Amino acid sequence: MLVSQDLYKKSSKTQKIRCEICANYCKIAEGNVGVCKQHRNINGELFDLSYGIVSSLSPDPVEKKPLNKFMPGTFTYSIGGFGCNMTCLHCQNYTISHDYRNFGNGIKIQPETIVENALKYNCKSIAWTYNEPTIHLPFNKKTSLLAKSKNLKVIYVSNGYMSSQSLGEILTFVDAFNIDLKSMSEKFYKKICGADLDIVLDNLRSIYLAGKHLEVTNLIINDYNDSQEEIELLCDFVVDELSVDVPVHFSRAFPYYKMMDIEPTNPEILYEAREIAIKKGIKNVYLGNI
Protein backbone atom coordinates (compact mmCIF):
# COMPACT_ATOMS: atom_id res chain seq x y z
CA MET A 1 0.00 0.00 0.00
CA LEU A 2 1.41 3.38 -1.03
CA VAL A 3 1.81 5.76 1.90
CA SER A 4 0.34 9.25 1.60
CA GLN A 5 2.98 11.70 0.38
CA ASP A 6 2.41 14.02 3.34
CA LEU A 7 4.03 11.33 5.53
CA TYR A 8 7.35 11.15 3.69
CA LYS A 9 9.73 13.37 1.77
CA LYS A 10 11.88 12.65 -1.26
CA SER A 11 15.45 13.88 -1.49
CA SER A 12 16.37 15.99 -4.51
CA LYS A 13 20.01 14.89 -4.21
CA THR A 14 19.74 11.17 -3.40
CA GLN A 15 17.29 8.32 -3.93
CA LYS A 16 16.60 8.16 -0.19
CA ILE A 17 13.18 8.79 1.32
CA ARG A 18 12.70 10.47 4.70
CA CYS A 19 9.83 8.66 6.42
CA GLU A 20 7.91 11.01 8.72
CA ILE A 21 5.46 8.56 10.27
CA CYS A 22 7.36 8.26 13.54
CA ALA A 23 10.03 10.19 15.38
CA ASN A 24 12.88 8.11 13.95
CA TYR A 25 12.54 10.00 10.66
CA CYS A 26 14.29 7.11 8.90
CA LYS A 27 16.18 7.92 5.73
CA ILE A 28 15.47 4.87 3.59
CA ALA A 29 17.52 3.99 0.52
CA GLU A 30 15.98 2.37 -2.56
CA GLY A 31 14.86 -1.18 -1.76
CA ASN A 32 15.46 -0.82 1.97
CA VAL A 33 13.18 -0.57 5.00
CA GLY A 34 13.21 1.65 8.09
CA VAL A 35 13.66 0.75 11.75
CA CYS A 36 10.15 -0.69 12.03
CA LYS A 37 10.75 -3.02 9.05
CA GLN A 38 7.25 -2.20 7.78
CA HIS A 39 7.97 0.56 5.24
CA ARG A 40 10.04 0.12 2.09
CA ASN A 41 11.39 2.54 -0.49
CA ILE A 42 10.22 1.19 -3.85
CA ASN A 43 11.22 3.30 -6.87
CA GLY A 44 11.29 6.43 -4.77
CA GLU A 45 7.89 5.91 -3.15
CA LEU A 46 7.13 4.74 0.40
CA PHE A 47 5.07 1.58 0.75
CA ASP A 48 3.48 0.05 3.87
CA LEU A 49 4.36 -3.63 3.56
CA SER A 50 1.83 -4.81 6.15
CA TYR A 51 -1.24 -2.77 5.26
CA GLY A 52 -4.27 -4.81 6.25
CA ILE A 53 -2.17 -7.50 7.96
CA VAL A 54 -2.54 -8.05 11.70
CA SER A 55 -1.00 -10.39 14.26
CA SER A 56 -3.95 -10.73 16.61
CA LEU A 57 -7.63 -9.89 17.08
CA SER A 58 -9.44 -10.23 20.39
CA PRO A 59 -12.26 -8.70 22.45
CA ASP A 60 -10.76 -7.62 25.80
CA PRO A 61 -11.93 -5.80 28.90
CA VAL A 62 -10.87 -2.19 28.39
CA GLU A 63 -9.12 -2.36 31.77
CA LYS A 64 -6.62 -4.78 30.21
CA LYS A 65 -5.13 -2.07 27.96
CA PRO A 66 -4.80 -0.76 30.73
CA LEU A 67 -7.46 1.97 30.76
CA ASN A 68 -9.23 2.12 34.09
CA LYS A 69 -11.04 5.43 33.67
CA PHE A 70 -12.22 5.19 30.06
CA MET A 71 -15.56 3.44 29.56
CA PRO A 72 -14.90 1.05 32.50
CA GLY A 73 -16.72 -2.26 32.44
CA THR A 74 -16.89 -2.37 28.63
CA PHE A 75 -15.10 -4.51 26.08
CA THR A 76 -12.75 -3.22 23.41
CA TYR A 77 -11.84 -5.04 20.21
CA SER A 78 -8.03 -5.30 20.31
CA ILE A 79 -5.99 -5.32 17.12
CA GLY A 80 -2.26 -6.04 17.05
CA GLY A 81 0.12 -5.70 14.13
CA PHE A 82 3.81 -6.35 13.51
CA GLY A 83 6.96 -4.31 14.04
CA CYS A 84 7.97 -1.42 16.27
CA ASN A 85 9.76 1.92 16.02
CA MET A 86 11.71 1.34 19.24
CA THR A 87 14.25 -1.40 19.93
CA CYS A 88 13.54 -2.08 23.61
CA LEU A 89 15.77 -4.80 25.00
CA HIS A 90 13.04 -5.86 27.46
CA CYS A 91 10.17 -5.92 24.94
CA GLN A 92 7.21 -7.80 26.38
CA ASN A 93 5.77 -8.48 22.90
CA TYR A 94 9.01 -9.13 21.02
CA THR A 95 7.59 -12.06 19.04
CA ILE A 96 5.41 -9.67 17.02
CA SER A 97 7.51 -6.52 17.40
CA HIS A 98 11.04 -7.75 16.69
CA ASP A 99 11.07 -11.40 15.63
CA TYR A 100 11.04 -10.79 11.90
CA ARG A 101 10.54 -14.47 11.16
CA ASN A 102 6.94 -14.05 12.34
CA PHE A 103 6.10 -11.07 10.17
CA GLY A 104 4.85 -13.21 7.31
CA ASN A 105 2.40 -15.13 9.49
CA GLY A 106 -0.22 -12.41 9.76
CA ILE A 107 -3.96 -12.34 9.25
CA LYS A 108 -5.20 -10.40 6.23
CA ILE A 109 -8.28 -8.41 7.12
CA GLN A 110 -10.29 -5.47 5.84
CA PRO A 111 -11.31 -2.45 7.96
CA GLU A 112 -14.96 -3.36 7.45
CA THR A 113 -14.41 -6.81 8.94
CA ILE A 114 -12.67 -5.40 12.01
CA VAL A 115 -15.59 -3.07 12.68
CA GLU A 116 -18.12 -5.85 12.06
CA ASN A 117 -16.27 -8.08 14.54
CA ALA A 118 -16.21 -5.34 17.18
CA LEU A 119 -19.96 -4.86 16.89
CA LYS A 120 -20.59 -8.62 16.87
CA TYR A 121 -18.78 -9.00 20.18
CA ASN A 122 -20.66 -6.03 21.66
CA CYS A 123 -17.48 -4.00 22.03
CA LYS A 124 -17.80 -0.28 22.61
CA SER A 125 -14.42 0.57 21.13
CA ILE A 126 -11.51 -0.71 19.08
CA ALA A 127 -7.96 -0.66 20.46
CA TRP A 128 -4.71 -0.55 18.50
CA THR A 129 -2.43 -2.44 20.84
CA TYR A 130 0.13 -5.24 21.41
CA ASN A 131 2.68 -3.65 19.03
CA GLU A 132 3.28 0.03 18.26
CA PRO A 133 0.25 1.28 16.28
CA THR A 134 1.83 4.48 14.96
CA ILE A 135 3.76 2.63 12.27
CA HIS A 136 0.50 1.37 10.77
CA LEU A 137 -1.10 4.82 10.58
CA PRO A 138 -2.74 4.55 7.13
CA PHE A 139 -4.58 1.32 7.99
CA ASN A 140 -5.38 2.47 11.52
CA LYS A 141 -6.85 5.74 10.30
CA LYS A 142 -9.08 4.18 7.67
CA THR A 143 -10.35 1.53 10.10
CA SER A 144 -10.78 3.99 12.96
CA LEU A 145 -12.82 6.46 10.92
CA LEU A 146 -15.12 3.63 9.87
CA ALA A 147 -15.39 2.52 13.52
CA LYS A 148 -16.30 6.02 14.63
CA SER A 149 -19.04 6.16 12.01
CA LYS A 150 -20.54 3.15 13.82
CA ASN A 151 -20.32 4.94 17.22
CA LEU A 152 -17.25 3.01 18.38
CA LYS A 153 -14.51 4.80 20.29
CA VAL A 154 -10.86 4.42 19.30
CA ILE A 155 -7.96 3.61 21.65
CA TYR A 156 -4.19 3.81 21.07
CA VAL A 157 -1.83 1.84 23.32
CA SER A 158 1.48 3.35 22.32
CA ASN A 159 5.08 4.12 23.21
CA GLY A 160 4.40 7.75 22.33
CA TYR A 161 7.13 7.97 19.69
CA MET A 162 5.11 9.62 16.92
CA SER A 163 6.32 12.33 14.59
CA SER A 164 4.59 15.67 14.99
CA GLN A 165 2.97 15.10 11.59
CA SER A 166 1.49 11.72 12.46
CA LEU A 167 0.42 12.77 15.95
CA GLY A 168 -1.57 15.58 14.38
CA GLU A 169 -3.44 13.01 12.28
CA ILE A 170 -3.82 10.53 15.12
CA LEU A 171 -5.42 13.15 17.36
CA THR A 172 -8.21 13.56 14.80
CA PHE A 173 -9.53 10.02 15.28
CA VAL A 174 -8.27 8.60 18.61
CA ASP A 175 -10.36 9.10 21.76
CA ALA A 176 -8.14 7.56 24.44
CA PHE A 177 -4.44 6.82 24.87
CA ASN A 178 -2.35 4.70 27.18
CA ILE A 179 1.23 5.82 26.71
CA ASP A 180 4.12 3.74 28.01
CA LEU A 181 6.49 6.19 29.70
CA LYS A 182 9.40 3.82 30.12
CA SER A 183 11.74 5.97 32.18
CA MET A 184 12.60 9.56 33.05
CA SER A 185 16.20 8.94 32.04
CA GLU A 186 17.45 9.98 28.62
CA LYS A 187 20.27 7.45 29.02
CA PHE A 188 17.71 4.65 29.57
CA TYR A 189 15.80 5.63 26.44
CA LYS A 190 18.95 5.79 24.31
CA LYS A 191 20.57 2.58 25.60
CA ILE A 192 17.54 0.35 26.25
CA CYS A 193 14.95 1.65 23.76
CA GLY A 194 16.92 3.36 20.99
CA ALA A 195 14.75 6.46 21.34
CA ASP A 196 14.60 10.04 22.63
CA LEU A 197 12.84 10.72 25.94
CA ASP A 198 12.08 14.38 25.17
CA ILE A 199 10.00 13.45 22.13
CA VAL A 200 7.83 11.13 24.23
CA LEU A 201 7.37 13.84 26.87
CA ASP A 202 6.44 16.41 24.23
CA ASN A 203 3.89 14.03 22.72
CA LEU A 204 2.38 13.34 26.13
CA ARG A 205 1.91 17.08 26.62
CA SER A 206 0.30 17.40 23.19
CA ILE A 207 -2.10 14.51 23.80
CA TYR A 208 -3.18 15.97 27.12
CA LEU A 209 -3.57 19.52 25.75
CA ALA A 210 -5.70 18.12 22.91
CA GLY A 211 -8.23 17.04 25.53
CA LYS A 212 -7.89 13.33 24.88
CA HIS A 213 -8.34 10.76 27.62
CA LEU A 214 -4.84 9.82 28.73
CA GLU A 215 -3.39 7.20 31.06
CA VAL A 216 0.32 6.52 31.61
CA THR A 217 2.05 3.18 32.21
CA ASN A 218 5.52 2.75 33.68
CA LEU A 219 7.11 -0.71 33.59
CA ILE A 220 9.50 -0.80 36.54
CA ILE A 221 12.66 -2.86 36.02
CA ASN A 222 14.97 -3.78 38.89
CA ASP A 223 18.19 -1.72 38.89
CA TYR A 224 17.26 0.15 35.70
CA ASN A 225 14.42 2.59 36.45
CA ASP A 226 13.33 1.60 39.95
CA SER A 227 14.99 4.30 42.05
CA GLN A 228 12.88 6.51 44.27
CA GLU A 229 14.35 9.55 42.52
CA GLU A 230 13.24 8.40 39.09
CA ILE A 231 9.75 7.45 40.26
CA GLU A 232 9.43 10.88 41.86
CA LEU A 233 10.54 12.53 38.60
CA LEU A 234 7.87 10.63 36.67
CA CYS A 235 5.18 11.59 39.17
CA ASP A 236 6.33 15.22 39.12
CA PHE A 237 6.05 15.25 35.33
CA VAL A 238 2.49 13.93 35.49
CA VAL A 239 1.48 16.43 38.19
CA ASP A 240 3.26 19.48 36.75
CA GLU A 241 2.96 18.92 32.99
CA LEU A 242 -0.23 16.87 32.71
CA SER A 243 -2.71 16.59 35.59
CA VAL A 244 -3.25 14.82 38.89
CA ASP A 245 -6.34 13.37 37.18
CA VAL A 246 -4.23 11.39 34.69
CA PRO A 247 -4.19 7.76 35.91
CA VAL A 248 -0.75 6.17 36.36
CA HIS A 249 -0.10 2.43 36.13
CA PHE A 250 3.09 0.97 37.61
CA SER A 251 3.69 -2.48 36.16
CA ARG A 252 5.94 -5.38 37.13
CA ALA A 253 8.60 -6.53 34.65
CA PHE A 254 9.73 -10.09 33.99
CA PRO A 255 12.73 -11.47 32.09
CA TYR A 256 12.07 -11.10 28.36
CA TYR A 257 13.79 -10.86 24.99
CA LYS A 258 17.35 -9.54 25.44
CA MET A 259 17.04 -8.93 29.19
CA MET A 260 16.68 -12.48 30.41
CA ASP A 261 19.14 -11.81 33.19
CA ILE A 262 16.85 -9.48 35.16
CA GLU A 263 14.83 -10.63 38.14
CA PRO A 264 11.07 -10.08 38.24
CA THR A 265 10.44 -6.67 39.75
CA ASN A 266 10.26 -6.74 43.53
CA PRO A 267 6.56 -6.13 44.36
CA GLU A 268 7.60 -3.89 47.26
CA ILE A 269 9.02 -1.41 44.75
CA LEU A 270 5.61 -1.16 43.07
CA TYR A 271 3.90 -0.58 46.39
CA GLU A 272 6.44 2.13 47.17
CA ALA A 273 5.87 3.70 43.74
CA ARG A 274 2.15 3.82 44.39
CA GLU A 275 2.72 5.54 47.74
CA ILE A 276 5.02 8.09 46.12
CA ALA A 277 2.43 8.85 43.43
CA ILE A 278 -0.37 9.24 45.98
CA LYS A 279 1.75 11.58 48.11
CA LYS A 280 2.47 13.65 45.00
CA GLY A 281 -1.28 14.08 44.57
CA ILE A 282 -2.01 11.70 41.70
CA LYS A 283 -5.60 10.60 42.19
CA ASN A 284 -5.68 7.26 40.40
CA VAL A 285 -2.72 4.90 40.77
CA TYR A 286 -2.78 1.24 39.74
CA LEU A 287 -0.40 -1.71 39.86
CA GLY A 288 -0.06 -4.25 37.04
CA ASN A 289 1.37 -7.76 36.62
CA ILE A 290 1.34 -8.23 40.37
Side-chain angles (χ1 to χ4, degrees), residues 74-86:
T74 66
F75 274 72
T76 187
Y77 194 65
S78 297
I79 311 114
F82 292 96
C84 191
N85 57 347
M86 288 190 184

Side-chain angles (χ1 to χ4, degrees), residues 8-177:
Y8 67 95
K9 284 186 170 63
K10 300 179 181 180
S11 171
S12 59
K13 297 181 180 180
T14 71
Q15 290 187 312
K16 289 184 178 180
I17 285 175
R18 184 178 190 254
C19 177
E20 299 189 345
I21 293 175
C22 87
N24 284 315
Y25 295 103
C26 294
K27 294 179 179 178
I28 308 173
E30 167 66 32
N32 288 354
V33 294
V35 169
C36 69
K37 302 295 189 290
Q38 304 302 298
H39 301 107
R40 187 183 301 276
N41 178 345
I42 301 176
N43 297 324
E45 304 286 355
L46 189 65
F47 283 81
D48 183 345
L49 301 178
S50 57
Y51 186 92
I53 300 174
V54 300
S55 62
S56 53
L57 298 158
S58 175
D60 289 321
V62 71
E63 290 84 359
K64 187 179 175 183
K65 295 303 93 192
L67 287 171
N68 283 36
K69 292 296 182 179
F70 183 76
M71 303 178 73
T74 66
F75 274 72
T76 187
Y77 194 65
S78 297
I79 311 114
F82 292 96
C84 191
N85 57 347
M86 288 190 184
T87 55
C88 299
L89 302 181
H90 59 292
C91 182
Q92 308 290 288
N93 291 317
Y94 73 91
T95 55
I96 61 172
S97 295
H98 299 296
D99 191 342
Y100 307 126
R101 295 169 298 179
N102 291 329
F103 285 5
N105 298 326
I107 305 162
K108 292 184 178 180
I109 194 165
Q110 295 297 315
E112 293 80 5
T113 306
I114 289 175
V115 174
E116 288 169 6
N117 288 350
L119 295 171
K120 180 176 69 175
Y121 288 112
N122 198 31
C123 296
K124 302 302 180 186
S125 60
I126 63 170
W128 302 100
T129 182
Y130 303 136
N131 81 310
E132 175 51 43
T134 299
I135 61 177
H136 303 296
L137 177 56
F139 183 67
N140 291 357
K141 183 176 181 179
K142 182 175 182 179
T143 307
S144 297
L145 292 175
L146 180 60
K148 292 178 78 68
S149 74
K150 300 296 183 180
N151 297 316
L152 294 168
K153 299 295 185 182
V154 178
I155 295 167
Y156 246 47
V157 182
S158 170
N159 60 28
Y161 210 53
M162 307 96 166
S163 68
S164 56
Q165 299 93 317
S166 64
L167 181 58
E169 283 202 37
I170 290 164
L171 288 172
T172 66
F173 63 83
V174 174
D175 300 289
F177 293 81

